[in-house]
Amino acid sequence: MILAQGSERVPTGRALLVAQNRQLFVTFTTEKMTSSILVTGGAGFIGSHTCVALAAAGYTPVILDNLGNSDIRVLERLARISGSAPRFIEGDVRDRALLDRVFAEQPIAGVIHFAGLKAVGDSVADPLTYYDNNVNGSFVLAAAMKAAGVRTLIFSSSATVYGDPDSSPIPEHAALRPANPYGRSKLMVEQALGDLQRSDATWRIALLRYFNPVGAHESGLIGEHPQGKPNNLMPFVCQVAVGLRDKLSVHGGDYPTPDGTGVRDYVHVMDLAEGHVAALKHAEKQPGLTTLNLGTGEGASVLEVVKAFERASGQRIACEIGPRRPGDVPAYWGDPALALATLGWRARRGLDQMCADSWRWQQGNPRGYEPR
Ligand code: NAD
Ligand code: UD1
């Protein structure tokens, strides 16, 4: 277990009531009271940006990550953005003994659970690994939370639970029919957490269904750098722009959309990060189960993304229209009205900013956190 530097605190000398294993301890602290939030998968793309938003909102993020799809060097970048690095625990959410120690050693007020695997193709090839990591991992975490008396949980779900929707914008009450093991793993966890909350009304659970997260923190210090060939559009476009790839293959130009290419609801990762903070604050106010879409409510086609990226970067993105990608849905975007009504949250950053911020990150870090 690695424990990195904690956040800087201001001395105040207050009494601290700590709940551990159903027992209450009063300790005296010389530190300012801030709520510690366990961020599983916090070294990854969305998790790292959420740590920035948490710190900006006055929370103390504590990252638990097995670094299976992330890089320890993100911590130093987070320190540069937020003024201090989050505490970091290297480990796996399926490690119950580790989780018990984490909850016993520090007063965790809530958990944001990002840790999971997310490649659709891999989930088809190796479903057991996906169910173990995503479903079993969530179960182990929830059981450890239950034992520790921590009842606030924000879960990373995905718009992929809707599968091929009947129409867009998609409301939260739309039919759920995920088309692959990855999507089914998200739906299984949603259902299990719903059952858990119904079994014990003191739980405060938010299930957040993200549409297509893209962009990077405006500093250009953190962002997304997939290992190997990117599956997703924006990282691929970025890698063409920076010269790592020759051209973008557009997966299908004959969809029933205005320009024939696929349409998605791209949402800036910092908007998503702020959505998590809003969901946490909402959960702190009242127990319950909340299921929300986090998206912009607008769709953009592949070619619109390419044009916006060209405008933002000044680079030409070579494209070739290729065949459709098996399993792709022609077009969908979310209805974010419930998130606005419930959390007061709405996406504020548009496609141009998503592209400008992605490009700043990619240009400054062509190989991710690897030195240039
Ligand atoms: P990511 O791979 O960048 O981050 C996930 C992090 O979790 C990584 O740092 C990885 O090392 C860690 N991790 C994975 N399994 C773990 C385990 N068993 N124990 C501890 N750490 C583990 O992915 P992301 O894009 O930041 O996605 C975060 C979450 O949001 C995932 O659950 C993903 O399914 C979900 N999601 C992502 C998208 C997207 O397009 N990026 C869309 C919808 C939902
Ligand atoms: C994919 C996943 C989805 C996941 C989401 C975000 C599939 C079938 N779905 O969704 O489960 O939640 O990522 O991680 O994999 N495109 C190209 N060329 C490329 C890459 C993509 O034209 O090289 C097109 C796609 O056909 C699509 C759009 O760009 O129309 C967006 O693709 P992508 O970024 O992969 O996201 P989704 O397909 O929406």
Side-chain angles (χ1 to χ4, degrees):
M1 180 160 87
I2 303 168
L3 277 174
Q5 277 299 91
S7 312
E8 275 191 23
R9 308 291 186 81
V10 182
T12 56
R14 293 163 69 181
L16 183 66
L17 204 55
V18 183
Q20 285 173 359
N21 299 327
R22 299 175 181 212
Q23 288 180 293
L24 286 178
F25 301 90
V26 179
T27 62
F28 288 90
T29 175
T30 55
E31 297 175 333
K32 186 179 162 195
M33 300 273 290
T34 63
S35 290
S36 292
I37 303 299
L38 182 66
V39 185
T40 75
F45 173 45
I46 308 171
S48 57
H49 290 79
T50 301
C51 287
V52 172
L54 284 168
Y59 291 96
T60 301
V62 176
I63 296 177
L64 172 77
D65 198 303
N66 66 8
L67 299 177
N69 196 36
S70 47
D71 190 311
I72 187 88
R73 287 169 287 198
V74 71
L75 294 178
E76 181 263 324
R77 304 294 184 91
L78 289 174
R80 281 164 67 185
I81 297 171
S82 298
S84 61
R87 291 181 201 158
F88 176 72
I89 301 149
E90 183 173 354
D92 198 290
V93 282
R94 291 164 295 181
D95 182 345
R96 175 64 191 270
L98 171 62
L99 289 178
D100 287 345
R101 278 205 303 282
V102 170
F103 286 119
E105 279 165 9
Q106 45 208 319
I108 300 289
V111 179
I112 306 184
H113 179 36
F114 292 105
L117 302 175
K118 61 170 184 175
V120 171
D122 291 352
S123 81
V124 174
D126 187 2
L128 292 181
T129 295
Y130 268 67
Y131 289 124
D132 181 39
N133 204 85
N134 294 5
V135 180
N136 182 34
S138 301
F139 289 178
V140 173
L141 174 65
M145 290 177 66
K146 183 176 173 185
V150 179
R151 290 284 186 277
T152 302
L153 176 59
I154 313 298
F155 173 62
S156 290
S157 187
S158 170
T160 201
V161 296
Y162 297 117
D164 190 353
D166 296 324
S167 61
S168 287
I170 311 172
E172 286 81 354
H173 57 74
L176 302 175
R177 39 186 183 226
N180 51 61
Y182 166 66
R184 282 189 279 277
S185 77
K186 291 291 176 189
L187 183 54
M188 285 177 192
V189 178
E190 281 199 7
Q191 289 169 333
L193 293 180
D195 288 340
L196 179 62
Q197 205 284 331
R198 283 182 286 275
S199 75
D200 173 353
T202 65
W203 280 90
R204 301 153 186 268
I205 297 179
L207 311 174
L208 302 182
R209 296 178 181 157
Y210 320 149
F211 282 72
N212 288 55
V214 296
H217 186 259
E218 61 183 6
S219 63
L221 287 170
I222 57 173
E224 183 179 22
H225 187 77
Q227 291 166 4
K229 189 175 169 190
N231 288 317
N232 297 122
L233 179 63
M234 188 64 89
F236 206 106
V237 169
C238 283
Q239 293 197 7
V240 174
V242 84
L244 292 174
R245 314 235 162 234
D246 292 343
K247 58 174 183 290
L248 171 75
S249 167
V250 177
H251 298 328
D254 58 352
Y255 283 113
T257 59
D259 64 18
T261 65
V263 169
R264 297 289 184 274
D265 184 344
Y266 298 95
V267 55
H268 196 294
V269 65
M270 282 310 298
D271 278 324
L272 264 194
E274 289 161 9
H276 286 74
V277 174
L280 186 61
K281 287 181 187 292
H282 179 262
E284 284 169 350
K285 274 192 264 158
Q286 64 204 55
L289 175 73
T290 316
T291 304
L292 297 171
N293 287 336
L294 294 185
T296 64
E298 286 172 27
S301 73
V302 175
L303 294 181
E304 283 170 335
V305 171
V306 167
K307 283 191 197 110
F309 199 93
E310 288 183 333
R311 277 197 305 276
S313 65
Q315 306 291 308
R316 199 185 149 263
I317 308 298
C319 293
E320 185 178 72
I321 307 274
R324 294 181 178 191
R325 182 171 63 179
D328 263 0
V329 169
Y332 65 85
W333 55 96
D335 180 348
L338 192 58
L340 179 60
T342 310
L343 308 179
W345 173 90
R346 67 147 57 96
R348 294 184 293 118
R349 298 158 176 91
L351 187 58
D352 287 342
Q353 189 172 348
M354 297 178 210
C355 293
D357 290 341
S358 294
W359 174 236
R360 190 176 304 108
W361 153 254
Q362 185 70 56
Q363 202 180 17
N365 307 272
R367 296 180 192 284
Y369 296 106
E370 288 290 333
R372 297 176 72 124

